Amino acid sequence: MGELGKLPPMIPVKVAYHPVNSQQLVAAATLDAIRSEVSAGTIEAHVEISFKETDEVYTQSFRSITPDPYETVLANMGIIVQSFTNILANGAGRATIDEVNIYIADLPYILHTEIKDIISSIRR
């Protein structure tokens, strides 16, 4: 469903990306498979959102490990912006986003990690 007519005003979004991490692609060939893996780094991001109704600026930071910063930042920004645009989630009342600034640092080391899979090779 759509509506014809004047387009709504656009919200300026500024992104500053500091690619400190250079991703290394490692490919290893074995007898029956080819494996490729991308080494992850840490993404540190800081978000600033300005509103038309107030001079106060909302700020939030997040950190994640990922080999793909685009998807991580996009997912986190969706959650942050939705808290102001979703009528059911917005407890602040009227909040018209005026400007969004995102600062991203892609660090060459992992500050935290999570275990995805454990393979035990205990033989009896």
Side-chain angles (χ1 to χ4, degrees), residues 63-80:
R63 176 187 290 168
S64 179
I65 61 166
T66 179
D68 185 3
Y70 175 79
E71 285 186 21
T72 300
V73 172
L74 187 64
N76 280 287
M77 286 305 301
I79 293 167
I80 293 168

Side-chain angles (χ1 to χ4, degrees), residues 6-78:
K6 184 180 173 187
L7 293 174
M10 302 300 284
I11 299 172
V13 176
K14 296 176 187 169
V15 178
Y17 178 69
H18 305 284
V20 179
N21 185 15
S22 60
Q23 294 181 354
Q24 299 172 354
L25 184 62
V26 178
T30 62
L31 292 175
D32 58 349
I34 295 178
R35 176 181 63 122
S36 113
E37 81 186 42
V38 177
S39 58
T42 300
I43 296 296
E44 286 188 340
H46 179 75
V47 179
E48 297 175 352
I49 302 177
S50 303
F51 301 95
K52 291 184 180 179
E53 292 80 17
T54 181
D55 290 335
E56 290 188 39
V57 176
Y58 172 83
T59 62
Q60 183 170 336
S61 297
F62 60 89
R63 176 187 290 168
S64 179
I65 61 166
T66 179
D68 185 3
Y70 175 79
E71 285 186 21
T72 300
V73 172
L74 187 64
N76 280 287
M77 286 305 301

